[in-house]
CSV table of all heavy atoms in Angstrom, one decimal:
chain,number,residue,atom,x,y,z
L,1,ARG,N,82.6,42.7,-87.7
L,1,ARG,CA,82.1,43.8,-86.9
L,1,ARG,C,80.7,43.6,-86.6
L,1,ARG,O,80.2,43.8,-85.4
L,1,ARG,CB,82.4,45.1,-87.6
L,1,ARG,CG,83.8,45.6,-87.5
L,1,ARG,CD,84.1,46.9,-88.2
L,1,ARG,NE,85.4,47.3,-88.0
L,1,ARG,CZ,86.1,48.2,-88.7
L,1,ARG,NH1,85.5,48.9,-89.7
L,1,ARG,NH2,87.3,48.5,-88.4
L,2,ILE,N,79.9,43.1,-87.5
L,2,ILE,CA,78.5,42.8,-87.3
L,2,ILE,C,78.4,41.7,-86.3
L,2,ILE,O,77.5,41.7,-85.4
L,2,ILE,CB,77.7,42.6,-88.6
L,2,ILE,CG1,77.5,43.9,-89.3
L,2,ILE,CG2,76.4,41.8,-88.3
L,2,ILE,CD1,76.5,43.8,-90.5
L,3,GLU,N,79.2,40.6,-86.5
L,3,GLU,CA,79.1,39.5,-85.6
L,3,GLU,C,79.5,40.0,-84.2
L,3,GLU,O,78.9,39.5,-83.2
L,3,GLU,CB,80.1,38.4,-86.0
L,3,GLU,CG,80.0,37.1,-85.2
L,3,GLU,CD,80.9,36.0,-85.7
L,3,GLU,OE1,82.0,36.4,-86.2
L,3,GLU,OE2,80.5,34.9,-85.6
L,4,GLY,N,80.5,40.8,-84.1
L,4,GLY,CA,80.8,41.4,-82.8
L,4,GLY,C,79.7,42.2,-82.1
L,4,GLY,O,79.5,42.0,-80.9
L,5,ILE,N,79.1,43.1,-82.8
L,5,ILE,CA,78.0,43.9,-82.2
L,5,ILE,C,76.8,43.0,-81.9
L,5,ILE,O,76.1,43.3,-80.9
L,5,ILE,CB,77.7,45.1,-83.2
L,5,ILE,CG1,77.1,46.2,-82.3
L,5,ILE,CG2,76.7,44.7,-84.2
L,5,ILE,CD1,78.1,46.9,-81.5
L,6,GLU,N,76.6,42.0,-82.6
L,6,GLU,CA,75.5,41.1,-82.3
L,6,GLU,C,75.8,40.4,-81.0
L,6,GLU,O,74.9,40.3,-80.1
L,6,GLU,CB,75.3,40.0,-83.4
L,6,GLU,CG,74.3,38.9,-83.1
L,6,GLU,CD,72.9,39.4,-83.1
L,6,GLU,OE1,72.6,40.6,-83.3
L,6,GLU,OE2,72.0,38.6,-82.8
L,7,SER,N,77.0,39.9,-80.7
L,7,SER,CA,77.4,39.3,-79.5
L,7,SER,C,77.2,40.3,-78.3
L,7,SER,O,76.7,40.0,-77.2
L,7,SER,CB,78.8,38.8,-79.5
L,7,SER,OG,79.2,38.3,-78.3
L,8,ILE,N,77.7,41.5,-78.5
L,8,ILE,CA,77.5,42.6,-77.5
L,8,ILE,C,76.1,42.9,-77.2
L,8,ILE,O,75.7,43.0,-76.0
L,8,ILE,CB,78.3,43.8,-77.9
L,8,ILE,CG1,79.8,43.5,-77.9
L,8,ILE,CG2,77.9,45.0,-77.0
L,8,ILE,CD1,80.7,44.6,-78.6
L,9,ALA,N,75.3,43.0,-78.2
L,9,ALA,CA,73.8,43.2,-78.0
L,9,ALA,C,73.2,42.1,-77.2
L,9,ALA,O,72.3,42.3,-76.3
L,9,ALA,CB,73.1,43.3,-79.4
L,10,LYS,N,73.6,40.9,-77.4
L,10,LYS,CA,73.1,39.7,-76.6
L,10,LYS,C,73.5,39.9,-75.2
L,10,LYS,O,72.7,39.6,-74.3
L,10,LYS,CB,73.6,38.4,-77.2
L,10,LYS,CG,73.1,37.2,-76.6
L,10,LYS,CD,73.5,35.9,-77.3
L,10,LYS,CE,72.9,34.7,-76.6
L,10,LYS,NZ,73.3,33.4,-77.4
L,11,VAL,N,74.8,40.2,-74.9
L,11,VAL,CA,75.3,40.4,-73.6
L,11,VAL,C,74.5,41.5,-72.9
L,11,VAL,O,74.1,41.3,-71.7
L,11,VAL,CB,76.8,40.7,-73.6
L,11,VAL,CG1,77.3,41.2,-72.2
L,11,VAL,CG2,77.6,39.5,-74.0
L,12,LEU,N,74.3,42.6,-73.5
L,12,LEU,CA,73.6,43.7,-72.9
L,12,LEU,C,72.1,43.4,-72.6
L,12,LEU,O,71.6,43.7,-71.6
L,12,LEU,CB,73.7,45.0,-73.7
L,12,LEU,CG,75.1,45.6,-73.9
L,12,LEU,CD1,75.0,46.8,-74.8
L,12,LEU,CD2,75.7,45.9,-72.6
L,13,HIS,N,71.5,42.7,-73.6
L,13,HIS,CA,70.1,42.2,-73.4
L,13,HIS,C,70.1,41.3,-72.2
L,13,HIS,O,69.2,41.5,-71.3
L,13,HIS,CB,69.7,41.5,-74.6
L,13,HIS,CG,68.3,40.8,-74.4
L,13,HIS,ND1,67.1,41.4,-74.5
L,13,HIS,CD2,68.0,39.5,-74.2
L,13,HIS,CE1,66.2,40.6,-74.3
L,13,HIS,NE2,66.7,39.4,-74.1
L,14,THR,N,71.0,40.4,-72.1
L,14,THR,CA,71.0,39.4,-70.9
L,14,THR,C,71.2,40.1,-69.6
L,14,THR,O,70.6,39.9,-68.6
L,14,THR,CB,72.0,38.3,-71.2
L,14,THR,OG1,71.8,37.7,-72.4
L,14,THR,CG2,72.0,37.3,-70.0
L,15,ALA,N,72.2,41.0,-69.6
L,15,ALA,CA,72.5,41.8,-68.4
L,15,ALA,C,71.3,42.6,-67.9
L,15,ALA,O,71.0,42.7,-66.7
L,15,ALA,CB,73.7,42.7,-68.6
L,16,ARG,N,70.6,43.2,-68.9
L,16,ARG,CA,69.5,44.0,-68.5
L,16,ARG,C,68.3,43.2,-68.0
L,16,ARG,O,67.5,43.6,-67.2
L,16,ARG,CB,69.1,44.9,-69.7
L,16,ARG,CG,70.2,46.0,-69.8
L,16,ARG,CD,70.1,46.8,-71.1
L,16,ARG,NE,71.3,47.6,-71.3
L,16,ARG,CZ,71.6,48.4,-72.3
L,16,ARG,NH1,70.8,48.4,-73.4
L,16,ARG,NH2,72.8,49.1,-72.3
L,17,MET,N,68.2,42.0,-68.6
L,17,MET,CA,67.2,41.0,-68.1
L,17,MET,C,67.5,40.6,-66.6
L,17,MET,O,66.5,40.2,-65.9
L,17,MET,CB,67.1,39.8,-69.0
L,17,MET,CG,66.5,40.0,-70.4
L,17,MET,SD,64.8,40.3,-70.4
L,17,MET,CE,64.2,38.7,-69.9
L,18,ARG,N,68.7,40.7,-66.2
L,18,ARG,CA,69.1,40.3,-64.9
L,18,ARG,C,69.3,41.5,-64.0
L,18,ARG,O,69.8,41.4,-62.9
L,18,ARG,CB,70.4,39.5,-65.0
L,18,ARG,CG,70.3,38.3,-65.8
L,18,ARG,CD,71.6,37.5,-65.8
L,18,ARG,NE,71.9,36.9,-64.5
L,18,ARG,CZ,73.1,37.1,-63.8
L,18,ARG,NH1,74.0,37.9,-64.4
L,18,ARG,NH2,73.2,36.6,-62.6
L,19,GLY,N,68.8,42.7,-64.4
L,19,GLY,CA,68.8,43.8,-63.5
L,19,GLY,C,69.7,45.0,-63.9
L,19,GLY,O,69.7,46.0,-63.3
L,20,GLY,N,70.5,44.8,-65.0
L,20,GLY,CA,71.2,45.9,-65.5
L,20,GLY,C,72.7,45.8,-65.3
L,20,GLY,O,73.2,45.0,-64.5
L,21,GLU,N,73.5,46.7,-66.0
L,21,GLU,CA,74.9,46.6,-65.9
L,21,GLU,C,75.5,47.3,-64.7
L,21,GLU,O,74.8,48.1,-64.0
L,21,GLU,CB,75.6,47.4,-67.1
L,21,GLU,CG,75.2,46.9,-68.5
L,21,GLU,CD,74.1,47.8,-69.1
L,21,GLU,OE1,73.1,48.0,-68.5
L,21,GLU,OE2,74.3,48.3,-70.2
L,22,CYS,N,76.7,46.9,-64.4
L,22,CYS,CA,77.5,47.6,-63.3
L,22,CYS,C,78.4,48.6,-64.0
L,22,CYS,O,79.4,48.2,-64.7
L,22,CYS,CB,78.3,46.6,-62.5
L,22,CYS,SG,79.3,47.3,-61.2
L,23,ALA,N,78.2,49.9,-63.8
L,23,ALA,CA,79.0,50.9,-64.6
L,23,ALA,C,80.4,50.9,-64.2
L,23,ALA,O,80.8,50.6,-63.1
L,23,ALA,CB,78.4,52.3,-64.3
L,24,LEU,N,81.3,51.3,-65.1
L,24,LEU,CA,82.7,51.5,-64.9
L,24,LEU,C,82.9,52.7,-63.9
L,24,LEU,O,82.0,53.5,-63.8
L,24,LEU,CB,83.4,51.8,-66.2
L,24,LEU,CG,83.4,50.6,-67.2
L,24,LEU,CD1,84.0,51.1,-68.6
L,24,LEU,CD2,84.3,49.5,-66.7
L,25,PRO,N,84.1,52.8,-63.3
L,25,PRO,CA,84.3,53.9,-62.5
L,25,PRO,C,84.1,55.2,-63.2
L,25,PRO,O,84.3,55.3,-64.4
L,25,PRO,CB,85.8,53.7,-62.0
L,25,PRO,CG,86.0,52.2,-62.2
L,25,PRO,CD,85.2,51.8,-63.3
L,26,ASP,N,83.8,56.3,-62.5
L,26,ASP,CA,83.6,57.6,-63.1
L,26,ASP,C,84.7,58.0,-64.0
L,26,ASP,O,85.9,57.9,-63.6
L,26,ASP,CB,83.4,58.7,-62.0
L,26,ASP,CG,82.1,58.5,-61.2
L,26,ASP,OD1,81.3,57.8,-61.7
L,26,ASP,OD2,82.0,59.2,-60.2
L,27,GLY,N,84.4,58.4,-65.2
L,27,GLY,CA,85.4,58.9,-66.2
L,27,GLY,C,86.0,57.8,-67.0
L,27,GLY,O,86.7,58.2,-68.0
L,28,GLU,N,85.9,56.6,-66.6
L,28,GLU,CA,86.6,55.5,-67.3
L,28,GLU,C,86.0,55.3,-68.7
L,28,GLU,O,86.8,55.1,-69.7
L,28,GLU,CB,86.5,54.2,-66.5
L,28,GLU,CG,87.3,53.1,-67.1
L,28,GLU,CD,88.8,53.3,-67.1
L,28,GLU,OE1,89.3,54.3,-66.5
L,28,GLU,OE2,89.5,52.4,-67.7
L,29,ALA,N,84.7,55.3,-68.9
L,29,ALA,CA,84.1,55.1,-70.2
L,29,ALA,C,84.5,56.2,-71.1
L,29,ALA,O,84.8,56.0,-72.3
L,29,ALA,CB,82.6,55.0,-70.1
L,30,GLU,N,84.5,57.4,-70.6
L,30,GLU,CA,84.9,58.6,-71.5
L,30,GLU,C,86.4,58.5,-71.9
L,30,GLU,O,86.7,58.8,-73.0
L,30,GLU,CB,84.7,59.9,-70.7
L,30,GLU,CG,83.2,60.2,-70.5
L,30,GLU,CD,82.6,59.4,-69.3
L,30,GLU,OE1,83.4,58.7,-68.6
L,30,GLU,OE2,81.4,59.6,-69.0
L,31,ALA,N,87.2,58.0,-71.0
L,31,ALA,CA,88.6,57.9,-71.3
L,31,ALA,C,88.9,56.8,-72.4
L,31,ALA,O,89.7,57.0,-73.3
L,31,ALA,CB,89.4,57.5,-70.1
L,32,ILE,N,88.1,55.7,-72.3
L,32,ILE,CA,88.2,54.6,-73.3
L,32,ILE,C,87.7,55.1,-74.6
L,32,ILE,O,88.3,54.8,-75.7
L,32,ILE,CB,87.5,53.4,-72.8
L,32,ILE,CG1,88.2,52.8,-71.5
L,32,ILE,CG2,87.5,52.3,-73.9
L,32,ILE,CD1,87.4,51.7,-70.9
L,33,GLU,N,86.6,55.8,-74.6
L,33,GLU,CA,86.1,56.4,-75.9
L,33,GLU,C,87.1,57.3,-76.5
L,33,GLU,O,87.2,57.3,-77.8
L,33,GLU,CB,84.8,57.1,-75.6
L,33,GLU,CG,84.2,57.9,-76.8
L,33,GLU,CD,83.8,57.1,-78.0
L,33,GLU,OE1,84.0,55.8,-78.0
L,33,GLU,OE2,83.2,57.7,-78.9
L,34,GLU,N,87.8,58.1,-75.8
L,34,GLU,CA,88.8,59.0,-76.3
L,34,GLU,C,89.9,58.2,-77.0
L,34,GLU,O,90.4,58.6,-78.1
L,34,GLU,CB,89.3,59.9,-75.2
L,34,GLU,CG,90.3,60.9,-75.7
L,34,GLU,CD,89.7,61.9,-76.7
L,34,GLU,OE1,88.5,62.2,-76.6
L,34,GLU,OE2,90.5,62.5,-77.6
L,35,ILE,N,90.3,57.1,-76.4
L,35,ILE,CA,91.3,56.2,-77.0
L,35,ILE,C,90.8,55.7,-78.3
L,35,ILE,O,91.6,55.7,-79.3
L,35,ILE,CB,91.7,55.1,-76.0
L,35,ILE,CG1,92.4,55.6,-74.8
L,35,ILE,CG2,92.5,54.0,-76.7
L,35,ILE,CD1,92.5,54.6,-73.7
L,36,ARG,N,89.5,55.3,-78.4
L,36,ARG,CA,89.0,54.8,-79.6
L,36,ARG,C,89.0,55.8,-80.7
L,36,ARG,O,89.4,55.6,-81.9
L,36,ARG,CB,87.5,54.3,-79.4
L,36,ARG,CG,86.9,53.7,-80.6
L,36,ARG,CD,85.4,53.5,-80.4
L,36,ARG,NE,84.6,54.7,-80.5
L,36,ARG,CZ,84.2,55.2,-81.6
L,36,ARG,NH1,84.4,54.7,-82.8
L,36,ARG,NH2,83.5,56.4,-81.6
């Protein structure tokens, strides 16, 4: 789990260095979080 979150932190850092993420469609993040 730590190895996974480290990889994700690297991806987010890189994306933000390149201008930021492209958000999921409205409500999708919340729906996935509810599944989790």
Side-chain angles (χ1 to χ4, degrees):
R1 283 175 175 166
I2 283 189
E3 186 176 35
I5 206 70
E6 174 68 3
S7 176
I8 289 166
K10 185 176 181 178
V11 168
L12 295 180
H13 171 80
T14 303
R16 291 167 187 177
M17 290 289 289
R18 301 183 65 235
E21 303 101 305
C22 176
L24 294 170
D26 289 348
E28 184 67 7
E30 293 80 4
I32 296 172
E33 169 67 354
E34 183 63 27
I35 294 170
R36 183 189 75 86

